Amino acid sequence: MLQFRVSPNLLSILLIQAAALVAAALAMNALGGIFPFLPGPTHIVEEGAQLLIRPEILQDFGVTLLEASFGLLIAAGIGISLGLVIGSSAALVSFANPLILALYSVPKIVFLPILMLIFGTGMGPKIANAAVHAAFPILLNTLVATRDTTVRHEKLGQSLCMTRLQFATKILLPGIVPPVFGAIRLGVGLSFMGALLAELFQSEAGVGHLVHDLYNSGNIAGMLAIILAVLVIIVSLNGIMAAVENRFSRWREI
Amino acid sequence: MSVSVSIENVSKTFGVPGTEFVAIKQADAQIQPGEFVSILGPSGCGKSTLLDMVAGLATPSRGTVSIHGQPVTGPDERMAMVFQQMSLLPWRTIQANVEFGLEVRGVGEAQRRRTAREMIDLVGLNGFEEKYPSQLSGGMNQRVAIARALALDPEILLMDEPFGALDEQTRRIMGIELLRIWDKSGKTIVFVTHSISEAIQLSDRILLMSSRPSTIREIIDVPLARPRSIEDLSSETARDIELRVWKVLLEETGAK
Amino acid sequence: MATTGSLLAGHRAFPRNSKRSQKLGQLIFVVGFFLILELLVRSGILNRLIIAEPSRVLLRLWQDLFTQELWTAFLVTFWEVGVALVMSLLVGLVGGGLLYHYSTVRKALQPVLVGFYSAPAILLYPVFMTLLGPNSLMIITMATIMGAVPISVNLAIGFGGIDPILLKLGRSLNLRGPRLMGKILIPAATPVLFAGFRMGLTFALIAVIGLEFLTYSGGLGRLISWRYSIFDSEGVYAAIAIVCCLAMAVNYALGVMERRIVNRF
Ligand SMILES: Nc1ncnc2c1ncn2[C@@H]1O[C@H](COP(=O)(O)OP(=O)(O)OP(=O)(O)O)[C@@H](O)[C@H]1O
Ligand SMILES: [Mg+2]
């Protein structure tokens, strides 16, 4: 798994990735021809290099990072504990699952006004919005995994006369780690999305505010550079977490 | 008469150069039309791989497999296969599963209903037509897979441990059924098994494979008259064959 | 990656149709929740400026039903969601088939695609605003992109996760191309496929409502942000309720469709 030998296959994968990057840059250039106000790739990189060393801008990134992390922490706490409680009982699952699924399909941003009414301004509504966005997949995955693991290994537990505590620590918790971790990974992107959407709407601080400002002041190249930076951060976080996940759940080959 | 299945100088290697993995080192065998041949060998020696190459589902790394003298280049309508793993389509009923091969080959609806019913009857699953695979036991599912292959009425039937999931009695009875079909239809059957007594019960000849990297170590004739009664199967001849096979297998797996 | 697929596919393991007594229980639970909320607001424990009483929201909802403002917004959103959904389905199916077919391309683009749909792709909206302006076209374009990505990724995962023995069966019967698709690939991948549709729908809805909300351009999302900006909190809650109903209805319709199609095979 953790070998980094370059196989012919890996080489072609890297080549395709490089080709995709070049194609994206060329496409931007071509689009720039059609839409004159769209900056070219070099312009974006230059602007980004200037912006991303300014302390106040790094501070904006810090604010967003803080909000998203807090939001994710809250979402994980609530999602996992609620998921464990509901998932431990078949009756509770079939009672609560339709309600949760119904809420799951609602675009969470509609709750932002309520959160702003409750938490006012500042970081509060952003953290809450991040938590609301990230909580549902974590709750659902925990619930499904808890139910699945319990049903699958119930008989084994009984046949070994395991106590509830033994069952929980030796079978249930190890069994739900991979899917719950996967959901938390999904939650990273979602909590960022929650924080950023709130910052864009209630523009006070953070990367969302920064993007909003750059857009309004017509600095499209700078705005694009910031957005790309955020996407790179999130995709990398996602990639790192996926690598960790693979490392620790090798038995879970599909 | 031409040879039905001919395996000549065949070897099979998996993986890319540098990290090759030799599954079959050397295999040669000729199977006559209408013959019932079993393949027996230690677990993991390449029995399924050999059968896949006959079926045209895998290509030999060296050598050729041919059917009536023509090299096999891919799956062929003259052959049908029963797989070792559960291979029913979980979203189809038993009836629809048995019809599947016929449907794919463009057989008309009425005809395929009829054939499928006959085959379901033959494998003793009357009354389960509208059930789904998940509602049947492992052994019953395996019988459905056999019915699906039989429904195609192939000239050559390739079976990879088809009775592996069955209990001893059902296995015997299915064996008798299979022999009856074989006797009536004159099909060529290549039958992979890990049961020595089953191989003796069923086959004209047994291809005995060595452990990996494998060769066909011995080809053993089973000169018992047919139909074979229980007495025949515990006769001196049968016991001699069993002993001979056991000796080779134990030697191959390194046991004493 | 696999987790997302199995997460949503896993829902199938649980009955969606609960028993009648259970439905009643769920109804009582929901009604009870709003009753308690009502009492808490009326008794002054919760601030009425922050949480509007459910009864007043209900009344407002009723009044809204007779206004043109609501119906125009509803139709705009409905239209945008519908077009985006159909388009992302088309784009997603083609994209998923290609991704499955060219496995090297899939491996190469996987981190970007997965990152893309776990990442706030919606953040790219200012780019599309610059290109297309704050209008329905911009919203539909973004919603299509956001919807198509999970659909195609799930399709590729679904095809890739099919039991190899079924593919071998197909090969032994000389099934290829569209016939292999129709007889084995699509039926075997249906659960994951629908999980993908559902995710695509969720993402398309997020894009439509979210963008209407942020850019104040047409539809129910704008209705919410507009009412919020004029401190019409009952109105905000009423509009939220409508969005929730719309989302649940579309999701429910997809569920019915799924059961129909699965029963076909
Ligand atoms: N696609 C493959 N890639 C790499 N190695 C393979 C592949 N298929 C089979 N092998 C290897 O080839 C060897 C033979 O496999 P095969 O399935 O033919 O064994 P078998 O004799 O049928 O075993 P069993 O009795 O357990 O069914 C095994 O060691 C297996 O690991
Ligand atoms: Mg085998």
Side-chain angles (χ1 to χ4, degrees):
Chain A
M1 192 75 239
L2 281 180
Q3 288 173 352
F4 288 107
R5 284 228 319 272
V6 179
S7 70
N9 201 19
L10 184 58
L11 200 67
S12 52
I13 287 175
L14 289 174
L15 273 176
I16 293 179
Q17 285 174 342
L21 265 180
V22 173
L26 288 178
M28 282 225 59
N29 254 339
L31 274 178
I34 307 169
F35 304 98
F37 42 82
L38 197 70
T42 38
H43 188 185
I44 294 173
V45 173
E46 278 168 19
E47 197 66 39
Q50 278 176 25
L51 282 175
L52 286 172
I53 48 166
R54 299 233 300 265
E56 71 268 24
I57 280 170
L58 292 181
Q59 203 180 337
D60 275 330
F61 272 87
V63 168
T64 304
L65 200 65
L66 204 65
E67 291 163 356
S69 325
F70 262 120
L72 184 61
L73 212 62
I74 294 170
I78 295 178
I80 293 175
S81 42
L82 209 57
L84 276 170
V85 169
I86 297 176
S88 63
S89 141
L92 266 182
V93 168
S94 58
F95 178 82
N97 214 40
L99 299 176
I100 298 174
L101 279 183
L103 271 181
Y104 187 71
S105 62
V106 174
K108 307 297 171 297
I109 187 147
V110 298
F111 301 123
L112 179 58
I114 304 180
L115 299 176
M116 291 189 298
L117 285 171
I118 296 175
F119 296 103
T121 54
M123 278 195 176
K126 280 86 175 178
I127 293 174
N129 201 41
V132 168
H133 274 78
F136 278 87
I138 300 178
L139 168 62
L140 264 172
N141 250 16
T142 313
L143 184 156
V144 170
T146 305
R147 195 71 236 135
D148 269 357
T149 316
T150 309
V151 168
R152 191 166 306 157
H153 301 298
E154 215 166 21
K155 284 191 182 152
L156 173 68
Q158 285 165 358
S159 73
L160 294 174
C161 301
M162 289 176 115
T163 61
R164 280 184 80 91
L165 185 70
Q166 279 175 320
F167 188 82
T169 53
K170 293 208 184 304
I171 294 183
L172 187 57
L173 289 181
I176 68 167
V177 165
V180 170
F181 194 85
I184 292 178
R185 178 161 65 84
L186 212 65
V188 172
L190 290 171
S191 61
F192 266 96
M193 171 146 95
L196 288 164
L197 286 177
E199 286 172 357
L200 279 163
F201 189 77
Q202 197 183 40
S203 190
E204 301 157 343
V207 177
H209 164 72
L210 182 62
V211 166
H212 197 250
D213 267 7
L214 290 167
Y215 178 71
N216 283 339
S217 62
N219 184 353
I220 303 298
M223 178 192 81
L224 277 173
I226 299 294
I227 292 176
L228 285 178
V230 172
L231 290 179
V232 166
I233 290 175
I234 293 168
V235 171
S236 325
L237 278 177
N238 197 61
I240 292 170
M241 289 188 72
V244 174
E245 205 175 322
N246 273 336
R247 183 79 188 74
F248 286 103
S249 50
R250 243 180 290 175
W251 54 272
R252 221 165 146 262
E253 296 284 83
I254 31 168
Chain B
M1 215 180 194
S2 75
V3 179
S4 181
V5 179
S6 159
I7 299 165
E8 282 169 90
N9 198 21
V10 162
S11 76
K12 180 69 184 178
T13 311
F14 287 110
V16 286
T19 53
E20 291 149 325
F21 178 91
V22 181
I24 298 175
K25 194 168 74 181
Q26 169 81 28
D28 287 281
Q30 313 282 317
I31 296 167
Q32 305 302 323
E35 205 179 3
F36 196 126
V37 169
S38 294
I39 301 178
L40 202 63
S43 176
C45 72
K47 303 182 291 293
S48 300
T49 308
L50 187 60
L51 206 65
D52 279 359
M53 290 190 289
V54 174
L57 294 172
T59 35
S61 309
R62 170 170 58 76
T64 42
V65 175
S66 29
I67 304 292
H68 295 302
Q70 305 161 310
V72 173
T73 51
D76 188 311
E77 299 226 339
R78 287 172 293 183
M79 299 186 274
M81 180 137 172
V82 180
F83 297 98
Q84 183 175 3
Q85 302 92 325
M86 159 78 187
S87 65
L88 298 182
L89 304 172
W91 58 89
R92 283 177 169 245
T93 60
I94 300 311
Q95 171 84 26
N97 261 296
V98 176
E99 281 182 30
F100 186 66
L102 298 168
E103 186 184 317
V104 167
R105 292 207 179 151
V107 175
E109 172 137 19
Q111 172 68 43
R112 88 181 176 235
R113 300 219 121 222
R114 205 158 349 107
T115 315
R117 296 233 173 233
E118 269 171 43
M119 295 303 144
I120 290 173
D121 195 32
L122 193 71
V123 297
L125 287 175
N126 269 326
F128 291 97
E129 289 86 351
E130 295 312 312
K131 294 261 190 290
Y132 286 88
S134 59
Q135 298 170 302
L136 268 59
S137 75
M140 288 159 106
N141 276 326
Q142 196 59 4
R143 283 188 270 159
V144 178
I146 295 171
R148 179 176 65 194
L150 286 175
L152 289 170
D153 192 22
E155 182 196 322
I156 302 168
L157 188 56
L158 307 172
M159 307 179 87
D160 193 352
E161 304 201 20
F163 304 155
L166 303 182
D167 58 283
E168 190 70 33
Q169 303 96 284
T170 319
R171 184 183 262 256
R172 264 288 150 91
I173 294 163
M174 290 293 298
I176 294 170
E177 279 303 326
L178 182 62
L179 286 177
R180 217 169 42 83
I181 297 163
W182 171 69
D183 197 41
K184 265 200 313 204
S185 61
K187 292 183 197 310
T188 309
I189 298 184
V190 185
F191 188 98
V192 173
T193 177
H194 55 241
S195 158
I196 302 175
S197 59
E198 189 170 78
I200 296 174
Q201 180 205 358
L202 300 173
S203 17
D204 293 324
R205 287 191 296 155
I206 300 171
L207 304 187
L208 201 54
M209 293 179 75
S210 69
S211 49
R212 212 177 40 75
S214 56
T215 56
I216 294 183
R217 210 185 119 150
E218 256 181 81
I219 298 184
I220 299 173
D221 276 310
V222 184
L224 295 173
R226 292 182 189 269
R228 293 169 182 171
S229 63
I230 314 248
E231 287 77 23
D232 293 335
L233 295 179
S234 46
S235 66
E236 191 83 19
T237 331
R239 269 189 292 136
D240 280 350
I241 297 170
E242 187 169 347
L243 216 63
R244 212 168 123 203
V245 174
W246 262 122
K247 276 197 182 134
V248 174
L249 283 185
L250 288 181
E251 209 179 289
E252 282 300 331
T253 46
K256 279 280 130 74
Chain C
M1 174 122 169
T3 329
T4 5
S6 56
L7 150 69
L8 290 154
H11 296 173
R12 300 264 121 276
F14 300 99
R16 279 183 150 258
N17 285 340
S18 32
K19 279 179 261 135
R20 189 172 298 165
S21 62
Q22 206 159 46
K23 282 201 170 141
L24 193 69
Q26 283 158 353
L27 192 69
I28 292 174
F29 176 81
V30 173
V31 173
F33 173 79
F34 285 117
L35 269 182
I36 291 173
L37 205 61
E38 178 90 27
L39 286 178
L40 286 177
V41 179
R42 289 217 173 175
S43 63
I45 297 173
L46 290 179
N47 188 341
R48 130 167 323 137
L49 291 177
I50 294 174
I51 312 262
E53 295 106 309
S55 60
R56 278 189 14 219
V57 174
L58 209 62
L59 189 69
R60 176 60 184 272
L61 212 53
W62 178 249
Q63 290 164 349
D64 270 348
L65 286 183
F66 301 100
T67 60
Q68 203 186 342
E69 183 194 26
L70 180 89
W71 285 107
T72 315
F74 181 83
L75 284 179
V76 167
T77 299
F78 197 78
W79 156 253
E80 286 168 354
V81 170
V83 174
L85 207 60
V86 172
M87 301 252 297
S88 47
L89 215 63
L90 292 179
V91 176
L93 281 175
V94 173
L98 290 177
L99 275 182
Y100 169 67
H101 194 79
Y102 299 101
S103 64
T104 319
V105 177
R106 177 173 74 238
K107 281 181 200 139
L109 297 185
Q110 187 153 308
V112 185
L113 287 176
V114 174
F116 193 82
Y117 84 79
S118 64
I122 200 172
L123 251 197
L124 288 173
Y125 90 89
V127 184
F128 287 84
M129 285 261 280
T130 340
L131 291 177
L132 304 169
N135 51 35
S136 273
L137 178 66
M138 182 273 287
I139 290 179
I140 290 173
T141 309
M142 270 225 76
T144 301
I145 295 173
M146 281 187 65
V149 172
I151 292 178
S152 48
V153 170
N154 265 48
L155 202 64
I157 297 177
F159 286 168
I162 294 173
D163 188 347
I165 193 72
L166 297 185
L167 298 179
K168 206 165 162 185
L169 170 71
R171 235 163 4 107
S172 81
L173 292 167
N174 265 323
L175 278 178
R176 281 202 208 93
R179 298 219 314 145
L180 184 67
M181 265 301 207
K183 295 242 180 256
I184 293 188
L185 295 183
I186 291 188
T190 300
V192 187
L193 235 146
F194 266 96
F197 290 170
R198 195 156 281 153
M199 266 177 99
L201 169 70
T202 311
F203 275 76
L205 264 175
I206 290 178
V208 169
I209 303 285
L211 291 176
E212 286 175 353
F213 181 86
L214 284 171
T215 64
Y216 292 87
S217 53
L220 292 171
R222 195 204 67 109
L223 191 65
I224 296 176
S225 47
W226 163 249
R227 286 178 173 180
Y228 174 78
S229 67
I230 58 169
F231 305 105
D232 172 8
S233 81
E234 270 160 52
V236 169
Y237 280 95
I240 291 173
I242 290 168
V243 173
C244 290
C245 290
L246 176 67
M248 290 175 200
V250 180
N251 201 48
Y252 181 77
L254 205 64
V256 171
M257 215 168 81
E258 175 173 4
R259 250 166 289 151
R260 284 262 170 86
I261 290 182
V262 170
N263 287 339
R264 275 278 172 82
F265 296 129

